[in-house]
Amino acid sequence: VTANVASLIADRAACDMSIISHEISKLCAYMRHEGITEPSCEIVESVTGKKTVFEAFYVSNRILKRDIDGVMSYVTDALKKGAEPFSLIAELTGEIERLYRIKCAMKSGMSPTDISSKIGMHEYAVKLRMQALKTTRSSHLKFLLEKCYESDLLLKSTSADAQCVLISLITCL
């Protein structure tokens, strides 16, 4: 992989290691399927999503409060600013994955420091999410995660309208 390709992947994922990992897996699967041995910047741009940066904790808190109107308002604003529905679905999925991982780690008795180290998130951010997660059931987060994966699969395997899929996902909150 060239330095330009690696830099592009990191930029498109806003240097979020969990997103970088997911996007590299997706890129590798695509390349295997297409018989491509060396990724180019063009391939990276066509296969990977571009992360939009959520306002710190806003979406997390709206998800945990099951505030559909709050998430919808945020997403509508992001779409007006040019964010792609696919990217917003990826962001929602990533945040729900982080919340679920933190919740599972909390249930197993891990400390904020250990959780931070394990998932690659700043300890302060972990502590804030841990506080907010105290009243959230892991079964609800697992349900949301399944809905995110279903939405992702729907987008990748059909010609479904991405904005409709995004709205449908938000209504599951």
Side-chain angles (χ1 to χ4, degrees), residues 13-139:
C15 297
D16 182 318
M17 292 307 292
S18 64
I19 293 175
I20 290 172
S21 175
H22 174 73
E23 295 301 325
I24 288 173
S25 295
K26 188 168 50 171
L27 183 62
C28 289
Y30 173 81
M31 290 174 53
R32 269 192 301 275
H33 182 265
E34 297 295 319
I36 299 169
T37 57
E38 185 71 27
S40 66
C41 289
E42 292 79 23
I43 292 170
V44 170
E45 287 177 347
S46 70
V47 173
T48 63
K50 181 159 177 55
K51 178 178 178 177
T52 55
V53 180
F54 278 156
E55 292 178 31
F57 311 111
Y58 180 83
V59 173
S60 268
N61 289 334
R62 300 290 75 78
I63 290 168
L64 293 174
K65 292 178 181 178
R66 298 183 185 186
D67 179 3
I68 293 171
D69 291 337
V71 175
M72 192 67 78
S73 173
Y74 183 83
V75 165
T76 300
D77 187 49
L79 290 168
K80 285 178 185 173
K81 292 178 181 175
E84 293 293 323
F86 183 81
S87 296
L88 292 169
I89 290 171
E91 279 298 310
L92 286 170
T93 301
E95 188 56 33
I96 293 168
E97 283 177 340
R98 282 185 287 280
L99 291 169
Y100 185 68
R101 291 178 70 195
I102 292 169
K103 183 68 173 184
C104 291
M106 287 170 60
K107 286 174 73 173
S108 72
M110 289 178 69
S111 71
T113 303
D114 291 340
I115 296 171
S116 171
S117 174
K118 183 160 181 81
I119 68 172
M121 181 184 281
H122 192 279
E123 187 174 344
Y124 179 71
V126 168
K127 286 180 182 178
L128 289 175
R129 285 172 174 85
M130 286 176 75
Q131 185 65 32
L133 281 164
K134 286 183 179 178
T135 59
T136 303
R137 293 186 333 266
S138 56
S139 61

